[in-house]
Amino acid sequence: MSAPASRTYHSIDILKVVAALLVVAIHARPFVGKTYPLYISLFSRMAVPVFFVVSAFFFFRKKPDTAQLKHYVRRMGWLYAFWFVVEAYFTIDGVFFSHDRSVLESLSHFICGFFLNSTFSGSWFIMALIICIPLVHWLGKRISSWAIFGIGLAVYVPVTLTTNYHAYMPHSVQHATNVAFNVIGLFHNSFMPAIVFCSMGKLIAEYENRIAKCGNLASTAVLLLCMVGAWLEVAGHKARFDDCYFMLIPTAAAIVVWTLRHEVNWRLPYKTLRNFSTITYFSHFIFVWFLTGKGIFSPVATYFVIVVLCVITTLLLLRLSRRFPLLTYAY
């Protein structure tokens, strides 16, 4: 049984803003050296999994039917299309001109990226939702949510082993992984690891009432334990790709559960904050392209300049969308 539809989720809105700012940190790289593992490999890598969990939570708590599923996929499709057009220059340059590949190879790379990685920067997140939400919804009519979680876990484990723990794998596995990277791209940025997080969002939606009865102290203790475990895993070795690690699964769940247990009622423009998190996720790549590595500002200053530009972009899009409704597809 789901929680009342009338309840607010202001704390989730704030969580999404924090997650968006952490995503910006991944690409703006304000921290280097010894601080990188703490701020990026640990904290920032939690952001996208949290987005997946939250997106699935809000979708599945409505007990959606086929019509709602189609509406969701259509909305995600328009979001994809909008930012694809906005970032078309960077996409075309990256696919067809920044590499020594033939036109046919570039086109093949582009098509593969559409489904398994990214066309424009960050687009894999939308495609992962377009694939995983219907998949989890379809499976949910046939098997239990825990079984779906098990399937997601079965996919997540080899993805993590061949990326984060690549150096520990046998040479034959390393070679096969390298071939896969060359053929299909970086599969840790695809729908594959997203299955487990979307199934987790569905589970949290189903157990929302039970979560509401949990004590704040218990949720805080679990979150702290998960954070410690995540830090021990991240600090324990050097990963080839740090996007996925095992403690990311319980930690992302603990973050969302803790946030649900700590609802806030501050006087804030929550709808604007929700839109800011989405617009920032996609627009910051453009500012990163223009500002990072140019020596204009220090790395930390560059990060804050990018955030300010994202704020300005959000306010402009929200204002202009009143006159040009097509702009609402940006968020």
Side-chain angles (χ1 to χ4, degrees), residues 86 89-90 283-297 302 305-306 309:
V86 170
Y89 168 81
F90 308 99
S283 66
H284 83 274
F285 290 103
I286 299 173
F287 306 128
V288 166
W289 191 89
F290 281 110
L291 293 175
T292 56
K294 304 297 190 296
I296 304 172
F297 306 104
T302 298
V305 169
I306 290 170
L309 290 172

Side-chain angles (χ1 to χ4, degrees), residues 27 39 112 164 192 227 271:
H27 304 107
Y39 291 104
C112 186
N164 196 299
M192 289 187 278
M227 285 288 190
K271 184 176 180 180

Side-chain angles (χ1 to χ4, degrees), residues 109-266:
H109 178 80
F110 174 82
I111 294 172
C112 186
F114 181 81
F115 294 102
L116 291 175
N117 304 118
S118 292
T119 50
F120 63 90
S121 297
S123 63
W124 74 272
F125 171 73
I126 306 178
M127 185 52 63
L129 285 175
I130 291 175
I131 294 173
C132 290
I133 293 296
L135 175 62
V136 173
H137 182 268
W138 181 81
L139 288 173
K141 294 183 178 298
R142 291 157 177 82
I143 57 177
S144 72
S145 296
W146 283 107
I148 302 171
F149 177 79
I151 293 172
L153 195 61
V155 176
Y156 188 86
V157 168
V159 169
T160 302
L161 287 174
T162 54
T163 56
N164 196 299
Y165 291 88
H166 182 270
Y168 302 94
M169 294 295 99
H171 290 299
S172 58
V173 175
Q174 291 182 8
H175 176 71
T177 301
N178 293 336
V179 171
F181 285 154
N182 291 329
V183 174
I184 67 174
L186 304 178
F187 48 76
H188 51 273
N189 287 341
S190 74
F191 73 91
M192 289 187 278
I195 298 171
V196 71
F197 295 112
C198 288
S199 64
M200 187 186 301
K202 186 175 188 295
L203 279 169
I204 292 175
E206 293 174 356
Y207 285 89
E208 187 177 4
N209 277 343
R210 292 190 185 183
I211 290 171
K213 297 176 183 178
C214 294
N216 288 342
L217 183 60
S219 65
T220 301
V222 170
L223 176 58
L224 290 175
L225 285 173
C226 288
M227 285 288 190
V228 171
W231 169 241
L232 290 174
E233 182 179 7
V234 168
H237 68 283
K238 186 176 181 180
R240 180 177 181 184
F241 296 102
D242 59 2
D243 301 69
C244 300
Y245 55 91
F246 293 119
M247 282 303 299
L248 201 51
I249 296 175
T251 304
I255 289 171
V256 175
V257 168
W258 185 91
T259 305
L260 287 171
R261 289 291 305 124
H262 292 78
E263 178 63 351
V264 297
N265 289 295
W266 305 328

